[in-house]
Amino acid sequence: MKYVLSMITYNSLTKLGSELFMRVWLSSLQIPYDAIILVDDGSDGTRKFVSEFANKYDKELYVVKSELYGDAPKPTRATARQTAIDVFLDNFSHDYLFFLDDDAVLNPGWFSEYEQLTKIAEKNNTAWGIAWGINWDSTNDRAMWLKALGIDYKQYLIDAFHTRGGEHDTIHPRHVLKEIRDAYGKIPWELHVYEDAWLFWATRCLNYADLIIETGIIHYNPWSFNLKRERERWNYAIEVAVKYGIHDGNTLVGKSLLKQALELTRPILGIPLALYLNVKAYGLNYESIRRAIVRQYHKLLWRWLNLKARVKYRGIIPKSPCEGLSLNRVD
């Protein structure tokens, strides 16, 4: 079986630093890929960094910018992800495409567990379309929070993947990606945040199972305190998600408006616990208190923007992501 690794980047070297970025790439070497598709829409030294890595470890490198399709005015995560898929299907004959995020370090044993799962799937005649490794957090904030609420951390992450999807570290069979493109077209360019959810549901809607690799990754997702930027990004993401019937656990599909409205109180009521957990983890200081308040504000903002979108588009939201995929095909 032959694998191609693909990564979509935007000034990743600047954002992550050379040490962490190298850890990501070195961790990928447990996957027996012989080629890299780098979709880079940035302007820093990321391309040079990856080129030097590819040369050192004897990997074929295909570098490209996002292809704009439909009426896309600029590159997005969706155009980058789709470009990687198109390059893979149209220029390579390999069996599998492996996506790795620029801030995801594969834990040792990831590929060994994947091989075991594929053997079990073959034995049971299970047709799978996506193999995903759990995205373990780089800090224990969320684990502590969930433990305080009596929620199993691992199961929480798996359940989130089964509603939200995720492309942090995924393997896709070639024939499934081709079926998705034939059935649903390209990932809509406007899904700058939810392009991974679209790909997950496209796989699920074609009746393919998923494989969960518990070894997973350590996800070094940078923490942001820029509330204005987060609000703008989330508002856009949620508006688009409504159009496609995509949901994120707490959001669009499967809950009444009344229940969703009542859930606005949860982030407020959770402030004391958030303060306690952050002070316990980081000490009694300004930064730990600020972190707790910002996290709860993010939760409240997310629920509020979703509720507004539910009300605004009431009656026209697709009943399911599968319906949303069919109604919003992009070629």
Side-chain angles (χ1 to χ4, degrees):
M1 298 297 179
K2 298 181 67 176
Y3 297 82
V4 173
L5 180 150
S6 181
M7 185 179 290
I8 61 177
T9 57
Y10 186 86
N11 295 337
S12 297
L13 183 61
T14 301
K15 178 181 70 174
L16 300 170
S18 59
E19 182 179 351
L20 176 55
F21 201 36
M22 179 58 78
R23 285 180 61 195
V24 172
W25 281 101
L26 290 175
S27 75
S28 77
L29 292 175
Q30 63 180 285
I31 312 294
Y33 63 92
D34 59 16
I36 299 169
I37 299 171
L38 180 70
V39 184
D40 180 54
D41 291 312
S43 58
D44 68 351
T46 297
R47 291 187 178 200
K48 181 181 178 183
F49 182 98
V50 177
S51 177
E52 292 173 351
F53 176 88
N55 288 336
K56 181 176 181 179
Y57 291 98
D58 194 27
K59 309 293 184 182
E60 176 187 354
L61 178 61
Y62 193 114
V63 182
V64 66
K65 286 182 175 290
S66 284
E67 178 189 350
L68 301 186
Y69 49 85
D71 56 353
K74 61 181 181 179
T76 65
R77 288 186 63 84
T79 63
R81 189 80 65 191
Q82 185 63 54
T83 297
I85 292 171
D86 290 342
V87 168
F88 173 70
L89 292 178
D90 299 339
N91 296 275
F92 291 86
S93 60
H94 293 57
D95 306 288
Y96 298 98
L97 179 62
F98 169 52
F99 275 120
L100 182 64
D101 273 5
D102 61 358
D103 57 0
V105 176
L106 290 171
N107 287 319
W110 193 102
F111 189 72
S112 296
E113 184 180 349
Y114 159 77
E115 287 187 304
Q116 293 173 3
L117 291 173
T118 57
K119 289 177 182 177
I120 294 172
E122 183 178 3
K123 181 179 179 181
N124 296 332
N125 292 318
T126 301
W128 64 274
I130 182 171
W132 169 81
I134 295 178
N135 56 316
W136 303 106
D137 296 309
S138 60
T139 66
N140 64 350
D141 297 39
R142 179 157 51 181
M144 289 194 309
W145 177 266
L146 293 172
K147 182 178 180 180
L149 297 175
I151 299 173
D152 182 77
Y153 177 38
K154 180 176 74 173
Q155 193 58 50
Y156 173 89
L157 295 176
I158 293 173
D159 290 344
F161 172 70
H162 283 150
T163 56
R164 169 68 170 78
E167 285 294 321
H168 320 91
D169 56 325
T170 54
I171 291 180
H172 300 267
R174 178 186 192 84
H175 69 93
V176 175
L177 291 175
K178 187 176 186 307
E179 286 182 49
I180 289 172
R181 193 169 68 174
D182 290 344
Y184 300 117
K186 297 179 182 288
I187 304 172
W189 65 265
E190 58 190 332
L191 290 174
H192 181 58
V193 174
Y194 282 112
E195 100 290 345
D196 49 0
W198 187 96
L199 194 52
F200 169 79
W201 281 107
T203 304
R204 178 62 63 86
C205 295
L206 289 175
N207 296 315
Y208 285 102
D210 54 74
L211 304 180
I212 303 297
I213 303 164
E214 294 187 7
T215 303
I217 59 166
I218 302 298
H219 191 201
Y220 292 89
N221 190 23
W223 175 262
S224 172
F225 285 117
N226 191 326
L227 300 182
K228 180 180 179 181
R229 186 178 64 190
E230 290 298 302
R231 183 186 180 94
E232 292 174 352
R233 184 174 71 90
W234 285 356
N235 195 48
Y236 170 78
I238 291 166
E239 290 272 330
V240 173
V242 168
K243 179 178 177 180
Y244 294 90
I246 294 169
H247 61 118
D248 197 358
N250 296 316
T251 54
L252 302 175
V253 179
K255 290 186 179 180
S256 68
L257 285 173
L258 176 59
K259 185 174 182 180
Q260 197 167 335
L262 291 174
E263 287 192 352
L264 290 174
T265 63
R266 292 178 60 184
I268 299 172
L269 296 174
I271 290 176
L273 180 58
L275 287 169
Y276 169 74
L277 293 175
N278 275 270
V279 169
K280 182 179 179 181
Y282 304 106
L284 181 58
N285 53 60
Y286 172 77
E287 202 60 33
S288 65
I289 293 173
R290 184 186 186 201
R291 188 182 182 95
I293 297 298
V294 169
R295 184 176 291 275
Q296 294 309 107
Y297 174 79
H298 278 184
K299 292 179 180 179
L300 178 62
L301 175 62
W302 183 258
R303 285 171 169 79
W304 170 244
L305 293 176
N306 270 279
L307 182 61
K308 283 177 61 180
R310 283 284 301 276
V311 172
K312 181 178 179 180
Y313 295 101
R314 191 175 184 180
I316 62 172
I317 300 174
K319 294 183 176 63
S320 70
C322 296
E323 181 181 294
L325 290 172
S326 298
L327 291 174
N328 296 285
R329 181 185 174 100
V330 175
D331 291 307

